[in-house]
Amino acid sequence: MSDFIFVTCQIGAEGAVKGELARRWPAFRLAFSRPGFLTFKLPSIHRLAEDFDLESVFARAYGFSLGKVTGKTPEKIAADLRAGAGRFSGQYFGQTPEELAAGVWKAAEGRPVQRIHVWQKDARAAGDRGFEPSLSEEASNVHRLLVEACPHPENLVRGGVARASCPCSGQHWRDASATQAARAGESVLDCVLLTPDQWWIGYHRANSIPSLYPGGMMSLELPLEAVSRAWLKMEEALRWSRLPIPRGARVAEIGSAPGGASQALLARGMWVTGIDPAEMDPAVLNHPCFTHIRRRSTQVRRREFQKIRWLTADMNVAPKYTLDAIEAIVAHPRVSIRGLLLTLKLTRWDLAEQLPDHLDRIRSWGFNVVRARQLHHNGREVCVAALQQPFHRKPFLGQRR
Ligand SMILES: C[S@@+](CC[C@H](N)C(=O)[O-])C[C@H]1O[C@@H](n2cnc3c(N)ncnc32)[C@H](O)[C@@H]1O
């Protein structure tokens, strides 16, 4: 078992990750840090399983670290070591991508690898000049190299990977699985590309939903008919949270315009009430299962929520405003909400420190399952999923006179 873990996160979220780990895992020591990528040294005795839960909102992906392979010269590596960096086992250097790939397998020697996840650390902050974290072509190329160099290809799970004959290089693995999800229980080799010639190696056992995907990034394709990118956020939130919202459920979405998120809900057979003073896209407005209340949430009469069991919110306001608005609804004696899916905007990164208090506040409303994650498709914001399990409807109080 390795003495280090690695974490990848959004650029800008490093401070939030360090803060979370200092609170939850005070014995972990920061070892190496670059924007979007961190490693921590573990205490000598730890009982972390290969599928351990880091309990971090801001870690998009994590695992045990096996160090790095690098295209640097031996002199540069010696200088790094003198400076105290890179003291990891499995260090290897090579000049070509093929040599680096061989180095990865040397570092991972003896590990039973069933699946390979390769991703690039984020190049820029999410949303900066349109940047969206994603699985790059470079990551896909390195994935292919690693599959080809794998010393025990018979162990790799074949889903999406097919043997094919290539006239130029003979038998090789045609890679169709660079973006494919692992299955729970599979042993995954992780390779994070920090730069084209610095690859960090790690491993984890797939278990949680994000751990199934390379870099914790769900490869969702925005449908042509989606009216906003919020579709991606809602779709990922639904898949990550696994909230048991049945078809035919009544959902209210606060901050619904122009309507991408509502489209994701409508496509799953839900009845959606969108609450937003701004205009909805006609494609959503005209859907037979959609109703628009063109007001701010505070201006909506409570009886509008009487049949609603699920509440989502994505308002471009500070977290406290969102939580005040939600509390005013869920705490009402005539309203029975079973689950929440909230986007909390971090107008400043230091607001991340208040997140544990926000989650406690949500628990105090009667939601006993409360989780948060900075989703792949989130900007500087986090998604909170809350569920009342089992669900107790508030007693019917009769009509108000
Ligand atoms: C990020 S956009 C929502 C995107 C939307 N979910 C979608 O799927 O396209 C934020 C929205 O919050 C709305 N908003 C801000 N304050 C609000 C409030 N108090 N009540 C309802 N909507 C609000 C804004 O009008 C804006 O349309």
Side-chain angles (χ1 to χ4, degrees):
M1 182 91 30
S2 166
D3 295 335
F4 291 86
I5 59 158
F6 72 87
V7 174
T8 52
C9 63
Q10 256 191 33
I11 291 199
E14 305 80 17
V17 171
K18 287 179 209 167
E20 288 184 305
L21 268 60
R23 282 191 295 273
R24 176 61 186 88
W25 308 97
F28 291 13
R29 294 278 168 264
L30 180 70
F32 176 87
S33 167
R34 289 288 177 276
F37 180 86
L38 308 107
T39 68
F40 294 84
K41 178 145 175 39
L42 302 172
S44 50
I45 299 171
H46 65 78
R47 295 199 173 82
L48 297 177
E50 288 186 13
D51 58 358
F52 77 101
D53 182 357
L54 190 59
E55 297 172 38
S56 162
V57 174
F58 293 93
R60 199 192 287 142
Y62 58 89
F64 289 96
S65 175
L66 293 170
K68 64 184 173 185
V69 295
T70 163
K72 287 177 185 170
T73 61
E75 293 74 26
K76 179 77 174 88
I77 288 170
D80 276 358
L81 286 171
R82 276 197 302 279
R87 251 178 245 149
F88 295 107
S89 60
Q91 189 140 211
Y92 181 87
F93 42 89
Q95 301 302 324
T96 66
E98 287 75 13
E99 281 175 311
L100 291 177
V104 169
W105 287 114
K106 192 165 164 349
E109 213 166 330
R111 291 212 58 74
V113 175
Q114 294 171 287
R115 187 75 69 164
I116 303 166
H117 283 176
V118 183
W119 68 102
Q120 251 180 313
K121 95 170 181 64
D122 287 3
R124 293 202 292 279
D128 175 18
R129 285 168 281 158
F131 175 73
E132 287 169 18
S134 63
L135 294 171
S136 62
E137 198 180 326
E138 186 176 342
S140 176
N141 289 339
V142 171
H143 183 272
R144 181 180 46 76
L145 280 178
L146 290 177
V147 170
E148 284 171 1
C150 178
H152 294 289
E154 69 280 4
N155 292 343
L156 293 179
V157 177
R158 304 294 169 94
V161 183
R163 263 202 195 283
S165 243
C166 170
C168 46
S169 59
Q171 277 282 354
H172 72 151
W173 288 96
R174 190 177 53 206
D175 167 27
S177 66
T179 59
Q180 254 190 6
R183 285 187 278 264
E186 286 176 3
S187 287
V188 182
L189 177 79
D190 296 307
C191 180
V192 190
L193 313 178
L194 252 65
T195 62
D197 63 353
Q198 189 181 142
W199 304 355
W200 284 75
I201 310 142
Y203 63 91
H204 72 275
R205 187 176 297 280
N207 184 359
S208 67
I209 298 281
S211 74
L212 307 182
Y213 296 90
M217 292 185 273
M218 255 180 223
S219 303
L220 299 173
E221 215 167 292
L222 188 68
L224 281 176
E225 67 277 12
V227 300
S228 70
R229 299 195 67 77
W231 182 93
L232 292 168
K233 227 160 52 170
M234 178 58 79
E235 189 61 32
E236 185 182 355
L238 292 166
R239 293 183 193 207
W240 158 72
S241 67
R242 286 182 158 168
L243 284 181
I245 316 180
R247 288 185 77 76
R250 291 184 186 271
V251 184
E253 212 218 332
I254 304 175
S256 55
S262 291
Q263 284 179 305
L265 295 167
L266 291 164
R268 288 170 178 247
M270 298 164 196
W271 293 81
V272 180
T273 301
I275 297 162
D276 199 311
E279 234 176 279
M280 294 300 299
D281 188 283
V284 183
L285 205 52
N286 295 331
H287 192 290
C289 300
F290 182 84
T291 310
H292 188 197
I293 301 181
R294 197 165 177 183
R295 296 188 183 175
R296 295 194 169 278
S297 63
T298 44
Q299 300 164 333
V300 180
R301 287 167 300 191
R302 297 304 108 168
R303 69 179 160 83
E304 303 281 5
F305 294 102
Q306 273 184 15
K307 288 187 179 162
I308 303 281
R309 294 289 168 265
W310 305 90
L311 207 52
T312 74
D314 181 15
M315 288 179 278
N316 41 7
V317 295
K320 186 179 172 317
Y321 183 102
T322 296
L323 293 174
D324 287 350
I326 299 297
E327 182 167 7
I329 298 165
V330 300
H332 194 276
R334 285 165 204 273
V335 177
S336 289
I337 300 292
R338 180 164 184 213
L340 307 171
L341 213 43
L342 311 177
T343 299
L344 298 183
K345 306 268 178 199
L346 302 176
T347 39
R348 302 186 320 264
W349 276 113
D350 61 350
L351 292 180
E353 283 168 31
Q354 297 171 12
L355 204 51
D357 293 338
H358 294 329
L359 302 185
D360 282 345
R361 183 175 173 191
I362 294 169
R363 283 184 196 102
S364 77
W365 303 337
F367 296 96
N368 51 340
V369 184
V370 178
R371 291 177 303 134
R373 172 168 167 84
Q374 184 156 56
L375 300 174
H376 164 200
H377 294 100
N378 275 144
R380 198 163 66 190
E381 58 196 6
V382 298
C383 175
V384 179
L387 184 66
Q388 204 189 99
Q389 183 84 327
F391 177 48
H392 299 291
R393 268 185 67 172
K394 289 177 190 159
F396 181 64
L397 297 175
Q399 291 298 318
R400 210 195 331 209
R401 287 162 209 262

